[in-house]
Amino acid sequence: MTSSTPVPQERKLVTELPGPASQALHARKGAAVAAGVGVGLPAYVVRAGGGILVDVDGNQLIDFGSGIAVTSVGNSAPRVVAAVTDQVADFTHTCFMVTPYEEYVEVCEQLAELTPGDHEKRSALFNSGAEAVENAVKVARTATGRTAVVAFEHGYHGRTNLTMGLTAKNMPYKHGFGPFAPEIYRAPMAYPLRWPGGAEQCADQAFAAFVDVVHSQVGESNTAAVIIEPIQGEGGFVVPPPGWLPRVADYCREHGIVLIADEIQTGFCRTGDWFACDHEGVVPDLITTAKGIAGGLPLAAVTGRADLMDSVHSGGLGGTYGGNPVACAAALGAIATMRAEDLPGRAQAIERLFRNRLEQLRSKYDVIAEIRGRGAMLAIELTAGAGDLTPNPTATAAINKHCHSQGLVTLTAGTYGNVFRFLPPLSSPDHLLEEGLDIIEDAFAQVLG
Ligand code: PLZ
């Protein structure tokens, strides 16, 4: 198969998974790659596109992970490939801080246009989500002259020192890696299913609990920023109740606290709109993006109010590779694809297809406590059974593993490891989504009987 042939859009298993060639590579991995770098499904990929990953043994796997919400436009999407190919032949790097280039500026112009709010904005580009979050905090601290940052339970913001501190979950992200950066505080997340006072009370009580942390424990005038994922990613696709996020945003505005929306996982069409904040008309002061922005190349951004972004002294933001020209070209190709193919609309269509099937599944299995998420970012939370919210990571892991064995790449999430999540490429044809859902149905039957 040459790389000019499109990847066939069908699942095909020619060996058990992982096959012999993958197993051989995995043995080399064990001898050469640090053990701390884990692998979910050790099928070594050689090509990918549409909704399929092809492994080194010739197996064709259905992708329900998009490399953790990255390849929303699909792997090697044609406009991304064309833009990257041209760019890589022209020049690969100058360092924007040394001798600049148009592609960086154009990505920032696109970010100003696409992100929530029509105020004047500026952006700075980086290499990873964690780096974007770090820089958003730097901007918030400089702009406010304050130090404290408030994050939420179940939140995930990265693996660098500051972002580990912002991340809630210990294993595997933080365990043994402290001490963490100071001046980070944590507020309860508005998590309707697990809110102690019940889902009905969640919005009001969670807002009051948030205010209590900021007002009583930190002090508004010490709080530089509040950072929130509008729908939590690694934490288990937790969707706060309607109205909660706008109230948090209003409160921040009232007290001069910078609201940072971390849309690294939710951004760029994933949730059925360009950004998850758009669903409730929330306009954050700063927004961090990465993952889906560049069709698989490493690029991240902080975008926000011009007055905040421009408060940092010249030379205060940057990095050798931030906004690399090849990654910027990829982003322009990815954004052009999202516009041309109406990927927000496609994510909405995927949600309809999934919800219908997942609701049927829920009617059969009382371990499914909730189906939640938005667009092509959907999950089911598994518990002990009817009325018992004890997390069920064992069934979650077994179902996930069964899917892998059948050539469906799925991911889990959640503080308690009991959330089974779906992030298909928006380029997946319906028949692959349906087939993936058949496999999930079968996995439930095999694991739970
Ligand atoms: N903020 C909301 O989802 C990355 C991490 C997977 P980086 N999420 C996937 C893992 O186990 O490392 C993420 C995110 C949100 C920040 C990040 C961090 O982005 O590009 O991984 O640094």
Side-chain angles (χ1 to χ4, degrees):
M1 202 189 297
T2 68
S3 16
S4 57
T5 336
V7 175
Q9 294 302 296
E10 61 177 298
R11 181 177 68 117
K12 191 173 83 177
L13 293 186
V14 296
T15 69
E16 300 228 313
L17 288 175
S22 278
Q23 285 180 36
L25 282 167
H26 208 50
R28 281 170 57 193
K29 184 244 176 206
V33 179
V37 184
V39 165
L41 166 57
Y44 283 70
V45 172
V46 292
R47 287 193 69 202
I52 289 285
L53 304 167
V54 185
D55 81 4
V56 64
D57 290 288
N59 297 300
Q60 294 171 192
L61 318 179
I62 298 177
D63 184 8
F64 272 14
S66 299
I68 322 187
V70 172
T71 52
S72 299
V73 295
N75 254 291
S76 302
R79 289 178 186 83
V80 173
V81 172
V84 165
T85 308
D86 284 352
Q87 183 58 46
V88 89
D90 287 345
F91 66 96
T92 48
H93 175 82
T94 61
C95 185
F96 190 76
M97 303 182 302
V98 178
T99 46
Y101 38 88
E102 182 177 353
E103 291 77 8
Y104 188 119
V105 177
E106 199 177 333
V107 170
C108 296
E109 288 168 350
Q110 294 282 335
L111 282 162
E113 190 183 321
L114 293 167
T115 54
D118 50 14
H119 52 288
E120 204 179 331
K121 297 172 198 159
R122 305 278 188 268
S123 292
L125 304 182
F126 304 97
N127 304 293
S128 68
E131 210 188 338
V133 170
E134 293 253 356
N135 280 279
V137 171
K138 287 201 231 175
V139 169
R141 284 180 170 156
T142 304
T144 59
R146 307 173 183 177
T147 53
V149 181
V150 175
F152 290 87
E153 287 174 358
H154 310 287
Y156 182 91
H157 301 287
R159 293 175 181 264
T160 58
N161 187 267
L162 175 63
T163 61
M164 265 193 294
L166 294 169
T167 290
K169 187 176 174 176
N170 178 46
M171 259 320 220
Y173 309 121
K174 304 168 75 166
H175 190 70
F177 297 148
F180 304 112
E183 286 307 304
I184 293 169
Y185 301 86
R186 200 168 302 286
M189 176 62 187
Y191 188 163
L193 180 72
R194 295 192 175 277
W195 190 257
E200 293 286 292
Q201 300 302 318
C202 180
D204 286 347
Q205 293 181 356
F207 178 69
F210 159 76
V211 170
D212 184 63
V213 170
V214 178
H215 178 74
S216 313
Q217 300 179 39
V218 188
E220 288 86 347
S221 62
N222 301 312
T223 307
V226 166
I227 182 161
I228 176 88
E229 299 160 86
I231 297 175
Q232 289 183 323
E234 303 308 301
F237 290 14
V238 177
V239 185
W244 178 80
L245 189 58
R247 282 171 79 181
V248 169
D250 288 347
Y251 181 83
C252 288
R253 194 167 303 113
E254 197 183 315
H255 295 283
I257 298 167
V258 175
L259 179 69
I260 305 171
D262 181 346
E263 293 238 23
I264 286 164
Q265 190 152 163
T266 48
F268 285 102
C269 311
R270 178 53 56 186
T271 66
D273 213 325
W274 279 89
F275 295 94
C277 279
D278 293 328
H279 296 288
E280 290 195 277
V282 169
V283 178
D285 300 305
L286 300 178
I287 177 167
T288 54
T289 54
K291 291 189 184 278
I293 189 177
L297 272 82
L299 187 73
V302 181
T303 302
R305 278 168 44 193
D307 60 319
L308 302 178
M309 293 295 290
D310 284 346
S311 71
V312 177
H313 49 281
S314 177
L317 302 175
T320 305
Y321 294 114
N324 167 273
V326 182
C328 286
L332 296 173
I335 292 168
T337 306
M338 294 174 203
R339 291 183 191 274
E341 297 180 4
D342 180 24
L343 292 191
R346 178 62 189 146
Q348 291 166 21
I350 290 175
E351 174 169 4
R352 288 191 290 274
L353 186 154
F354 266 74
R355 275 203 186 268
N356 181 30
R357 294 286 303 271
L358 295 176
E359 289 297 347
Q360 288 170 32
L361 199 64
R362 179 151 90 144
S363 65
K364 284 196 226 158
Y365 297 99
D366 62 8
V367 296
I368 301 181
E370 190 171 51
I371 297 164
R372 60 172 180 255
R374 203 169 254 152
M377 179 173 182
L378 295 168
I380 52 192
E381 177 159 352
L382 295 163
T383 62
D388 182 348
L389 287 180
T390 309
N392 196 339
T394 314
T396 310
I399 291 165
N400 192 45
K401 202 165 162 222
H402 186 84
C403 290
H404 290 180
S405 75
Q406 299 305 302
L408 175 66
V409 181
T410 45
L411 304 169
T412 60
T415 301
Y416 316 111
N418 66 325
V419 179
F420 194 42
R421 61 169 157 167
F422 315 115
L423 291 162
L426 305 179
S427 56
S428 300
D430 282 358
H431 75 270
L432 288 181
L433 302 177
E434 295 281 8
E435 192 177 348
L437 286 156
D438 292 342
I439 293 169
I440 288 168
E441 220 175 278
D442 180 54
F444 269 83
Q446 296 290 326
V447 171
L448 299 164

